[in-house]
Amino acid sequence: MSEVWISAADGDDLIRADAIVILRMDRTGRLTVQLRDEAKVSVTLLEGSPGGARPPADFHRRLIRLIAELADVGGTRLIRARHENGAWHWTSEDL
């Protein structure tokens, strides 16, 4: 059984992927998740930027796809959003 964790925007917080119940991406590219708990806590995974390098419209769907792929790999994995060479992508590494 694998565990998949996601790094929050600040890099200090890690969110376990199976605790996420809702992903939201607004018009600025800000990506937030709502966690499965009674307080309905939301955490920002990616800060938006109104005029800058906005992630692609399907960036949150790419995260879901990666989580599903990593769930079958085994071990503990960490996912991070990266903006490199003008493109956004998700990366994963052993934790």
Side-chain angles (χ1 to χ4, degrees), residues 12-33:
D12 293 332
D13 294 326
L14 300 177
I15 296 96
R16 202 170 71 211
D18 65 356
I20 296 172
V21 293
I22 297 174
L23 284 166
R24 290 186 186 100
M25 193 153 111
D26 69 15
R27 294 178 192 206
T28 68
R30 182 175 191 220
L31 180 60
T32 57
V33 294

Side-chain angles (χ1 to χ4, degrees), residues 6-10 13-15 20 22-24 30-35 40-46:
I6 305 165
S7 178
D10 61 11
D13 294 326
L14 300 177
I15 296 96
I20 296 172
I22 297 174
L23 284 166
R24 290 186 186 100
R30 182 175 191 220
L31 180 60
T32 57
V33 294
Q34 182 177 319
L35 303 182
K40 298 190 188 288
V41 172
S42 290
V43 177
T44 300
L45 294 182
L46 183 64

